Amino acid sequence: MGSYRTLTLPLLSLLGWTLISAFNLDTDNVIRKTGDANSLFGFSLAMHRQLRPADKRIVNIFAIYYDHHSDHIVDHVSQKCNFHLGLYGCSLTEGIKNLETENKQNQWMGVTVQSQGPGGKILVCAHRYQRRLFVDSVQELRDITGRCYVLSEDLTINNTSDEDGGDWMFCKGRNRGHERFGSCQQGLSATFTKDYHYLVFGAPGAYNWKGVVRMEQKNSSLWDENIYDDGPYEVGDEGRLDPDLVPVPANSYLGFSLDSGKMLTKRGQLTIVAGAPRANHSGAVVLLKKDDVKPSMMTAEYILEGAGLASSFGYDLAVLDINGDGWQDIVVGAPQYFIKDGYIGGAIYVYLNEEGAWDKITPKRIEGAADSMFGLAVENMGDVNLDGYHDVAVGAPYDSNGAGNVYIFHGSPQGLKKAQVLGGQDHNVKLFGYSLAGNMDLDRNNYPDLAIGSLSDSVFVARSVISIEKTVTTTPKELDLTQKNCGDTICYGMALCCKQCKMLMSFNNASMLCTKETLRDKLRGIPIEVSVEILKPSTRRKRQSALPNLLPILDTNQDVQFIKEGCGADHVCQSDLQLQYKFHTREPNRDIFHPLPEENGVPILSLSDQKDIALEIKVANQGEDAYEAQLSSSFPKSLSYSAVHKLRGIPIEDKPVICLANQNGSQADCDLGNPFKKDAETTFYIILNTGGISLDTTEIEIDLKLKTTSDQKQLQAIKAKAIVKIQLLLSLSGIAKPSQVYFTGEVKGESAMKLATDVGSPIDYEFRVTNLGKPLQSFGKASMIIQWPKHNSQGKWLLYLMKMTPTGLDSFSCSNQDEVNKLGLKEPSVSRTKREIGETPAKEGTTSLFTDKRKYTVLSCEDGAECIAFKCPLTGMDSNAVISLRAYLWNSTFLEVSVAVLFFLMARVTVFPERKVAQYGGMPWWVILVAILLGLLLLGLLVFLLWKCGFFKRSKYDDSVPSYNAVRIKREERGKEPGKEEMDPPEKKQWMTSWNENESYS
């Protein structure tokens, strides 16, 4: 929304003005009255008007005086101070002290001073007044009960009046002790009800400092009207005195501040508003009423709880009508409110009444500067500027390094608006604004004034200043921003007329003003602010005992209106913006969106490795033009704004949607159009980064709210929710080495186990986690949960876990670490283990050649095994991690079972008993005989077939060896000598025989 455009016209005048209307408080002509040094003159204040015997305007001022003669502190309201024009204090004669029953030293008479109004009573209290018992003895006791006095309008005690005097001591004579009424401290706060019928007292020390509020009256004239049951009324029941009926806990200080009203909860019902600044360590304000059943009891109707720890919420309060709706509102001070590492020191809470529904009201907090104790004093000023709304003064006595400031807030239909700051530095005092009194006209100009106390022994009276009558006219009265009437700009004329009625003087000034086409706020008019500076005839400041004449200050506002297209004949734009949303996924680096699946109407975000998601926004206007239409979005920590993508709108006009985000992307404001036309519709996508989503994120919630300066009610925020399911691309595999193990031996108890090999056969489990997606560090920490079968259903050991070893992790710490090597067994070296296993002979069982009956028992965590869960965080895992477990099979348990199969996560182990031969089992003899005969018959048949095939026939030599005939050839003569010729290499013929030379051949 664009800021207001303000036009200021400085005017100088030497005219003497008369008084026309109130504007603010005069800071130049402030009346100051100073008391004795170190007397705390101005600790408490009250404005009072005396009607009889003469009309006087009085300020009652409380101070502490030191009595040099008796060397003790005496308290009283200040002596009569001859303030000019009827500004007075008063003195209070306390009468003769009865030292046998009371002590008035240091009683703080006047800690509370209240006026009943014009012609009414004065109430003065001393909350440290003491009752004495067993005086001048070792058992002497003193109770700080407190005491109050009522004075007539002329500040005297009228002995003929039932109310006058100091008999207002309701704690007197009650049970003593701090648990009851021994530290009552009645009168720390007191007030008159708005109907002038009751006096209300606060006693914050009663009931172990729970506090008590009491309402009563003493008027015998009511008896003449047959009214006998009109109080007193008390929190805790005046008859029963039951501390359990007090609606706040111990040490709450209920009754520390008081006010009343008859338009707070129900029309015409009297309600007492009581502060309890220490209730529940933060403070509370309790709205009390007469009990409907018990005639002497006050009960809590509503309790307003303080928000800040040790904020002293309820230290002071005021009841007034801020917004002029006829219902009374409440302003509560919390002077010790703070925010860590913040520049805040005190606050006030403004509760605007919603027809008595206080449980539905959300207060507006107005904060003060650091260490200022803003809200220590809160005062109803009345209607200072005569605009029909009550105004408020708030003291911040420690502001400006202890000088103190008073902040003036004007009432309005929207609540309080800061109007002026009165500073203590201008008067060279400390703790300016410690006390306040207002809502009364002291200088008889029909405007309420304000008295301000400090702890610098000074009191100040600030009076309302007056403004002159004015007239501002513009031409034309309405601007059409589509029509340029001054070249390339839009211009309008303005005429100013300042008139002083009594002296018939006037001043006119005319100007031509221009505006820019780029104006953003086209719905509301341009306010024209005119200021006037009054030049004083002399700058010399004179000390005056009389109130000087006040100079006027102009208070004027005029608006230049615009022609509002699309808003109807009444020029009131009644828009009807409608919002729809839908979650989408976005393809990487492409503006292609796919809606998320839903379960029971709730979107499901299955997040794996995508970086962005998209929120589709569809806005339609089914009413008149919506000016400065805007969508405000707030995102959780798991999401951040990235960009915006717009689809083409309806009608054809396609203006881009511009979104502005804050620095960390947690909020974004998107402009929809100015104006967003009637029947217009637009769709766009808000791209959100998912970098903040972790494994702990279960859902995301986005706040969406449409805004417009047009008239549209019920534009409430919409929460866009989606369930988050993170899909991690993790794979888990497991293996057991060996997958089959054997057991043997004899049964042993736990005490006989010394080495891990005494338990049984070793088994190594290896579980591997592989990450195929984004690194786990981007989501958070993942964990592996291992269900370990420790015992069977009878509580006997199954697998004895010896150790756990990680690979690929930065650190490793599983839960239930005490279950690892629970018996503290030692694991022998590898060589020794192999030697012992090799040398240990296996015991043989009973043998049988033809039997092998096995009993299978399948053990799992769901059936037959008691498991222990080990939760092992995968800290620092990148792509893969391995967790290895070394365990030993507990032989003694498995000796009772022939065969068992253990299912352990993804690793399966089969366990067999170790043996040399099969166990014995019987078989009938005839089966054996038939088997032998069948075997012999089959053997005979086989022999017969081989014989028939000639397998057993022997072959003869002549049939297998061929016969040859040899011929002898005579030796021939050779040309070469024997031994000289070359011989062919010997060659063995294929068929050869041998003969002798002496043999003959035929």
Side-chain angles (χ1 to χ4, degrees), residues 87 280 287 291 305 318 367 465 640 752 879:
L87 185 60
N280 301 313
L287 276 63
D291 192 83
E305 298 287 348
E367 300 165 347
V465 295
S640 61
S879 59

Side-chain angles (χ1 to χ4, degrees), residues 584-589 592 594-597 604-614 638-639 687-693 700 723-729 773-774 778-779:
H584 289 254
T585 59
R586 181 193 185 196
E587 294 187 5
N589 301 321
I592 298 178
H594 304 284
L596 294 181
I604 304 298
L605 175 58
S606 299
L607 191 65
S608 56
D609 59 348
Q610 62 264 38
K611 297 181 180 180
D612 298 326
I613 62 172
S638 55
L639 300 175
I687 312 301
L688 302 173
N689 187 279
T690 62
I693 294 181
I700 53 177
I723 297 176
V724 178
K725 293 183 178 180
I726 298 178
Q727 294 181 342
L728 299 179
L729 301 179
K774 296 172 63 175
S778 61
F779 288 112

Side-chain angles (χ1 to χ4, degrees), residues 552-564:
I553 292 180
L554 181 67
D555 175 21
T556 181
N557 288 289
Q558 183 74 18
D559 291 343
V560 177
Q561 302 296 331
F562 301 107
I563 296 178
K564 305 174 183 67

Side-chain angles (χ1 to χ4, degrees), residues 63-265:
I64 301 176
Y65 289 90
Y66 189 82
D67 190 337
H68 296 277
H69 300 286
S70 58
D71 195 26
H72 62 265
I73 298 296
V74 180
D75 308 329
H76 59 85
V77 176
S78 66
Q79 295 177 350
K80 180 173 293 187
C81 306
N82 189 16
F83 282 31
H84 190 70
L85 286 183
L87 185 60
Y88 296 100
C90 70
S91 61
L92 178 65
T93 303
E94 299 195 32
I96 301 175
K97 300 178 183 178
N98 185 357
L99 299 180
E100 297 296 326
T101 59
E102 63 182 0
N103 178 28
K104 296 184 178 180
Q105 296 181 11
N106 199 25
Q107 67 174 343
W108 284 53
M109 172 61 70
V111 67
T112 298
V113 182
Q114 290 289 336
S115 171
Q116 198 176 19
K121 301 286 186 179
I122 295 292
L123 176 61
V124 184
C125 295
H127 74 295
R128 294 171 63 95
Y129 170 85
Q130 298 179 13
R131 298 295 300 174
R132 302 178 67 186
L133 299 174
F134 309 112
V135 180
D136 296 333
S137 66
V138 294
Q139 295 87 11
E140 180 175 351
L141 300 174
R142 298 189 181 188
D143 293 336
I144 308 176
T145 58
R147 184 177 185 179
C148 293
Y149 288 79
V150 173
L151 310 177
S152 294
E153 63 172 311
D154 59 352
L155 309 182
T156 62
I157 296 178
N158 185 358
N159 294 327
T160 62
S161 173
D162 296 331
E163 296 92 346
D164 286 14
D167 294 332
W168 300 90
M169 300 181 291
F170 71 87
C171 294
K172 177 182 177 181
R174 293 189 177 183
N175 292 339
R176 303 177 57 257
H178 69 274
E179 298 88 354
R180 304 295 289 179
F181 298 92
S183 300
C184 191
Q185 300 188 56
Q186 172 192 348
L188 185 62
S189 65
T191 187
F192 294 95
T193 58
K194 291 296 193 297
D195 59 0
Y196 310 113
H197 187 67
Y198 297 100
L199 286 84
V200 185
F201 302 98
Y207 297 133
N208 197 19
W209 289 278
K210 278 189 173 184
V212 161
V213 176
R214 179 183 175 92
M215 182 174 66
E216 59 180 317
Q217 55 83 27
K218 295 179 181 179
N219 192 344
S220 59
S221 61
L222 295 177
W223 297 348
D224 299 335
E225 302 178 12
N226 298 322
I227 299 176
Y228 304 102
D229 58 349
D230 193 11
Y233 306 92
E234 187 174 318
V235 175
D237 196 336
E238 197 270 343
R240 297 166 56 187
L241 302 180
D242 186 356
D244 294 334
L245 299 178
V246 180
V248 291
N251 301 302
S252 294
Y253 294 1
L254 179 65
F256 195 90
S257 57
L258 291 171
D259 207 340
S260 65
K262 301 195 72 174
M263 289 293 291
L264 285 167
T265 57

Side-chain angles (χ1 to χ4, degrees), residues 442-459:
L442 293 177
D443 54 2
R444 305 171 188 267
N445 63 357
N446 297 321
Y447 303 104
D449 304 309
L450 179 67
I452 304 171
S454 69
L455 296 188
S456 296
D457 308 317
S458 297
V459 174

Side-chain angles (χ1 to χ4, degrees), residues 954-993:
R954 299 181 63 184
S955 61
K956 294 180 181 181
Y957 179 79
D958 295 338
D959 297 333
S960 59
V961 180
S963 62
Y964 302 94
N965 295 319
V967 178
R968 182 173 181 176
I969 303 174
K970 292 183 180 183
R971 179 178 300 181
E972 297 179 356
E973 293 293 334
R974 300 174 181 168
K976 294 184 181 182
E977 296 181 2
K980 300 282 183 117
E981 64 277 5
E982 294 180 4
M983 300 296 292
D984 294 331
E987 180 181 358
K988 186 178 180 179
K989 301 299 183 180
Q990 202 171 24
W991 301 102
M992 181 179 289
T993 187

Side-chain angles (χ1 to χ4, degrees), residues 353-373:
N353 197 342
E354 296 182 3
E355 299 182 355
W358 291 94
D359 53 344
K360 300 179 180 179
I361 298 175
T362 300
K364 177 184 178 181
R365 184 175 68 231
I366 301 176
E367 300 165 347
D371 303 322
S372 65
M373 294 287 282

Side-chain angles (χ1 to χ4, degrees), residues 750-761:
E750 291 184 3
S751 60
M753 305 295 181
K754 303 299 182 184
L755 299 176
T757 53
D758 295 338
V759 176
S761 302

